[in-house]
Amino acid sequence: MPAITLPDGSIRQFDGGVTGTDVAAAIGPGLAKAALAMQVDGKLVDLAEPIVSDAALRFITRRDPEALELIRHDTAHVLAEAVQELFPGTQVTIGPSIENGFYYDFARNEPFTPDDFVAIEAKMREIIGRGARFQRSVVSREDAIDLFTKKGERFKVELIRDLPESETISLYSQGDWIDLCRGPHMRSTADIGTAFKLTKVAGAYWRGKPENPVLSRIYGTAWRDQKELDAYLHMLEEAEKRDHRRIGKEMNLFHLQEEATGSIFWHPKGWKLYRTVEDYMRRRLDRADYQEVKTPQLVDRRLWEASGHWEKFRHAMFQAKVEDKDEADRIYALKPMNCPCHVQIFNQGIRSYRELPLRMAEFGACHRFEPSGALHGIMRVRAFTQDDAHIFCEEHQIAEETVRFVALLSGIYRDLGFSEFRVKFSDRPEVRAGDDATWDRAEGALKEACAIAGVDFELNPGEGAFYGPKLEFVLRDAIGRDWQCGTLQVDFVMPERLDAVYAAEDGTRKRPVMLHRAILGSFERFLGMLIEQYAGRFPLWLAPVQVVVATIVSDADPYAREVKAAFDKAGLRVEFDLRNEKINRKVVDHIEQRVPVLAVLGRREAELGQVVLRRLPGREQEVFSLAEAVAHLAKEANPPDMAALPADAVAA
RNA sequence: GCUGUUGUAGCUCAGUGGUAGAGCACUCCCUUGGUAAGGGAGAGGUCGAGAGUUCAAUCCUCUCCAACAGCACCA
């Protein structure tokens, strides 16, 4: 006699067991038609699932956000059926729904290519048109293994074998096609609709392990209706226009070329942007009591052996030798990170607890031989500059330093236009240095610090650094990919390995704790994010060219020089456009170049000593006297950390 | 590194087994025009690199390099 409580609070009684289908029908034909699945006591299940005891029930219709996940998962099943119909002998593996869509991994000697999509999509539409019911059945482990062994599906068999004993094994069939699946699903393939599209193919290792066979993965996107699908595809197109690689080219900020794979050639405008951010960061660090240092690029391998990096990361380190025969046996490595060098500075002389926490910062140029497939524009490169710092402190200072760090990072992200970011907490990896007790302390300290700092994090199990747990501050790029930028890592291991000590208050020698931390992560990656964040239309203080002085007639050239000189003097980044082109043309060109302000000068302005300012890409213009224009723009061009200061103090 | 795709002028791209084309950009000329592309002329390419097949390769085959998408990696 289940009593079913509906979301509006009403309760319905039923005699004996009922299914969601029954309840929906009892409520009304509209709902019976619209219900795709249901939530029973918060758990999403098939509509056909029996409800045997009192429960809170909520129906899922196409309007609910949960419908998207169901549609995507169902579409993955249909994809698999279509592929097996078209390409007999292909084995199925797994096919989950993901953000914006789904994928399915297939084992096939010949990988799929995008050319196969037309046929596969057509077959999928045919299967959806058949409207076969999704039928759930529960089977024993033996029967399931037997079934998939007979079908030649060895990956499914492996999956079943690895399921825990307690797991119920369920199968879903749609017509003649059957798959191992936890569910839930909608009523039939017809519920999927037609708003889906296959998007790309990729190789993917079986179970994510490089030693396993490579499967052929087909990605797709699926939505509730065509309008949503179109909107998504349009959003992707728009996002591509923000791509930092594209904007970098269009704005002439940087380039990459074969001879220096993974290293950036910064052009004048790109470097101006870089320097603007660097100058800003340096001011912030100075003010936050960091001491800036600079350490060597080339360091003897002995130091890397001592730190443990040689053993773990040698394959990814650039090594250098010289021809001199006395030095021939010596191997140097380009530093892949700065921490061992910073410890060397810490180790000069005798440190006292009074000096702690000691915050040692470096804009450290590092090189790592990243796998070729990992390279990505300027976001993942082989030569990069970390805004690195190491905080040497006592264990009881970890929490306070974390709080200070999070505050500094948040302020900087806000200034740079990133008010939202996610934090991941990565704990001990399988391969690591240091014993479990040390890891317990490090993880405990970092977690406690997060609680005090009010940091909400998601757990990222097993993803910590080999020497300690870390917080990752993650930003999202234009097309939705996540990138780790900031980080904070607690390290009890490196001070031990490199023998860092200080004299404690009681006169004994103690090991400091090292906090590795970066805010931008690397300038290169962060600038990539920044370019995408603003789509190249930077706020005035960041814009590499802040103002272009454009003339309407060449008679205004002398006045233009005067105007530019006045802007220059106020510290503004100004360029001329005295070309023999019409003003219309100049406006278009500088909009394309994403120049924030155009100062337009004609005969009239020259005579009256005025400047017409137009904010690009807008159409509005304002007329100022030259002095007003300079003051106005100089004020706006102030970096946010200097905005509180009077403009003349900044200019000086 | 793995799977797939791509590589032609500075940029975006078309094209062909008989040594190449467009638009924009560039140079010059005309035009001095008041806020989203004025007109004309010209110059510019070992068709990513190497090898092979062929009478002949930018095009077909192989190897390498690089880029792109995803996977794996990320101190």
Side-chain angles (χ1 to χ4, degrees):
Chain A
M1 286 277 206
I4 309 281
T5 310
L6 296 165
D8 65 358
S10 65
I11 295 173
R12 287 182 181 246
Q13 295 283 346
F14 290 88
D15 297 330
V18 287
T19 66
T21 314
D22 301 331
V23 179
I27 294 173
L31 183 62
K33 201 172 161 203
L36 300 173
M38 61 182 173
Q39 237 175 8
V40 179
D41 292 330
K43 193 178 165 229
L44 197 61
V45 296
D46 297 349
L47 212 52
E49 200 68 6
I51 304 167
V52 290
S53 51
D54 293 358
L57 190 154
R58 179 181 152 230
F59 288 103
I60 306 298
T61 71
R62 237 180 159 67
R63 254 179 267 164
D64 296 303
E66 289 88 344
L68 269 175
E69 207 171 308
L70 291 165
I71 288 168
R72 288 166 185 164
H73 184 195
D74 288 12
T75 314
H77 276 237
V78 169
L79 167 62
E81 180 180 355
V83 162
Q84 289 203 311
E85 269 191 44
L86 291 170
F87 306 91
T90 303
Q91 293 185 63
V92 288
T93 65
I94 56 162
S97 70
I98 53 174
E99 197 170 3
N100 300 323
F102 59 90
Y103 68 78
Y104 209 110
D105 285 347
F106 299 100
R108 182 171 178 245
N109 291 336
E110 191 166 334
F112 296 103
T113 78
D115 294 339
D116 297 320
F117 287 175
V118 176
I120 297 172
E121 282 184 4
K123 180 60 79 179
M124 288 171 72
R125 287 182 205 289
E126 183 190 320
I127 293 166
I128 289 168
R130 285 179 211 155
R133 296 199 74 77
F134 285 107
Q135 302 263 17
R136 183 174 197 266
S137 55
V138 173
V139 294
S140 71
R141 176 175 299 253
E142 291 67 35
D143 288 351
I145 290 175
D146 195 44
L147 173 75
F148 286 105
T149 305
K150 279 192 187 129
K151 291 167 77 78
E153 299 282 4
R154 72 178 183 90
F155 295 94
K156 288 289 181 191
V157 173
E158 190 180 325
L159 284 177
I160 297 164
R161 287 226 163 89
D162 289 352
L163 285 174
E165 286 297 329
S166 56
E167 185 90 10
T168 307
I169 296 178
S170 60
L171 307 176
Y172 275 83
S173 63
Q174 57 210 52
D176 298 331
W177 193 81
I178 194 159
D179 197 4
L180 171 75
C181 182
R182 195 177 286 129
H185 281 280
M186 298 186 290
R187 298 165 303 189
S188 83
T189 57
D191 285 335
I192 292 171
T194 54
F196 68 89
K197 186 177 186 325
L198 301 182
T199 52
K200 55 197 172 196
V201 289
Y205 302 114
W206 166 237
R207 297 188 146 181
K209 299 256 166 66
E211 60 272 21
N212 285 346
V214 177
L215 305 171
S216 184
R217 174 174 297 179
I218 297 179
Y219 281 93
T221 184
W223 300 85
R224 293 178 288 197
D225 54 43
Q226 191 64 33
K227 214 170 132 191
E228 276 189 354
L229 173 62
D230 290 343
Y232 172 69
L233 296 176
H234 182 252
M235 186 277 288
L236 279 187
E237 271 175 41
E238 288 302 304
E240 274 174 31
K241 294 183 189 160
R242 305 171 76 96
D243 191 307
H244 73 281
R245 293 164 297 192
R246 177 172 172 157
I247 291 177
K249 209 177 274 175
E250 287 171 359
M251 292 181 71
N252 194 12
L253 301 175
F254 57 80
H255 85 271
L256 297 147
Q257 68 184 50
E258 285 195 26
E259 289 77 2
T261 306
S263 301
I264 303 168
F265 291 79
W266 285 103
H267 296 10
K269 283 167 65 182
W271 190 243
K272 184 57 81 176
L273 176 66
Y274 185 115
R275 278 181 48 195
T276 304
V277 173
E278 186 183 55
D279 291 348
Y280 165 81
M281 287 303 293
R282 185 167 276 129
R283 290 193 301 269
R284 296 296 309 243
L285 292 179
D286 284 349
R287 224 171 295 149
D289 292 324
Y290 283 79
Q291 305 176 35
E292 188 175 334
V293 298
K294 199 76 180 172
T295 61
Q297 293 288 302
L298 278 171
V299 179
D300 194 290
R301 64 183 272 185
R302 287 187 312 240
L303 184 61
W304 308 113
E305 283 168 349
S307 69
H309 291 96
W310 188 259
E311 189 192 358
K312 193 160 191 313
F313 291 110
R314 184 177 51 221
H315 63 277
M317 287 165 67
F318 287 96
Q319 296 176 27
K321 280 187 178 184
V322 290
E323 287 187 4
D324 183 289
K325 67 178 172 354
D326 297 329
E327 288 271 308
D329 294 335
R330 214 167 153 185
I331 294 174
Y332 298 89
L334 276 175
K335 70 174 168 187
M337 28 100 76
N338 310 295
C339 16
C341 291
H342 288 187
V343 177
Q344 303 315 302
I345 294 180
F346 183 86
N347 284 355
Q348 295 301 113
I350 297 174
R351 298 288 177 179
S352 155
Y353 75 95
R354 294 173 191 277
E355 295 176 68
L356 307 185
L358 190 158
R359 309 184 189 92
M360 193 184 292
E362 176 172 4
F363 297 145
C366 297
H367 291 79
R368 296 178 184 176
F369 185 69
E370 301 285 9
S372 57
L375 300 176
H376 180 91
I378 65 171
M379 304 268 223
R380 183 96 182 258
V381 286
R382 288 180 176 157
F384 54 95
T385 306
Q386 295 179 325
D387 65 318
D388 202 3
H390 295 92
I391 302 172
F392 296 87
C393 65
E394 302 194 273
E395 202 168 332
H396 68 86
Q397 293 169 324
I398 294 174
E400 197 197 324
E401 285 304 308
T402 301
V403 172
R404 284 180 55 124
F405 173 71
V406 172
L408 181 63
L409 176 141
S410 308
I412 288 171
Y413 278 22
R414 203 181 317 115
D415 280 354
L416 293 171
F418 297 93
S419 43
E420 298 213 348
F421 53 87
R422 290 187 298 137
V423 184
K424 294 187 189 171
F425 185 106
S426 301
D427 61 13
R428 65 192 78 183
E430 263 178 53
V431 183
R432 57 182 181 260
D435 57 33
D436 285 354
T438 306
W439 275 90
D440 287 343
R441 271 161 59 218
E443 288 170 3
L446 190 55
K447 271 190 188 148
E448 189 201 328
C450 283
I452 296 169
V455 173
D456 288 324
F457 57 77
E458 322 159 23
L459 255 187
N460 201 15
E463 297 293 322
F466 75 89
Y467 49 69
K470 63 176 179 180
L471 291 181
E472 297 176 31
F473 298 83
V474 175
L475 295 176
R476 187 161 276 205
D477 74 7
I479 63 169
R481 287 179 287 215
D482 286 337
W483 295 88
Q484 179 199 307
C485 291
T487 184
L488 174 70
Q489 308 170 7
V490 179
D491 181 5
F492 290 95
V493 174
M494 205 58 60
E496 184 74 38
R497 288 196 172 222
L498 298 176
D499 196 27
V501 291
Y502 68 94
E505 194 170 3
D506 61 8
T508 59
R509 295 294 158 98
K510 283 193 174 160
R511 295 261 177 243
V513 177
M514 262 177 101
L515 303 180
H516 307 241
R517 44 106 296 171
I519 292 172
L520 308 182
S522 83
F523 280 91
E524 290 77 5
R525 174 174 298 178
F526 202 90
L527 290 172
M529 298 299 306
L530 201 61
I531 290 167
E532 301 201 351
Q533 169 80 3
Y534 287 111
R537 287 188 219 291
F538 300 107
L540 202 61
W541 76 281
L542 285 171
V545 175
Q546 296 169 318
V547 187
V548 166
V549 176
T551 49
I552 296 167
V553 291
S554 45
D555 285 354
D557 287 3
Y559 179 57
R561 289 178 211 286
E562 202 182 305
V563 170
K564 179 173 186 290
F567 283 151
D568 280 336
K569 201 174 162 209
L572 290 160
R573 300 188 282 270
V574 196
E575 281 182 6
F576 274 136
D577 186 352
L578 307 183
R579 289 177 304 164
N580 175 16
E581 291 290 350
K582 296 197 173 185
I583 191 63
N584 296 20
R585 180 46 173 275
K586 296 187 181 184
V587 168
V588 172
D589 285 348
H590 298 115
I591 288 173
E592 278 178 0
Q593 281 298 302
R594 300 171 171 83
V595 171
V597 179
L598 192 65
V600 180
L601 308 176
R603 240 175 237 124
R604 190 160 64 228
E605 287 70 30
E607 276 163 23
L608 300 173
Q610 293 179 330
V611 176
V612 177
L613 296 185
R614 174 165 166 176
R615 319 296 305 220
L616 301 182
R619 286 172 184 279
E620 314 74 52
Q621 9 178 337
E622 273 187 285
V623 183
F624 294 93
S625 70
L626 177 53
E628 281 169 351
V630 168
H632 182 68
L633 291 177
K635 180 159 183 268
E636 186 183 334
N638 254 350
D641 63 310
M642 298 172 83
L645 305 172
D648 52 331
V650 175

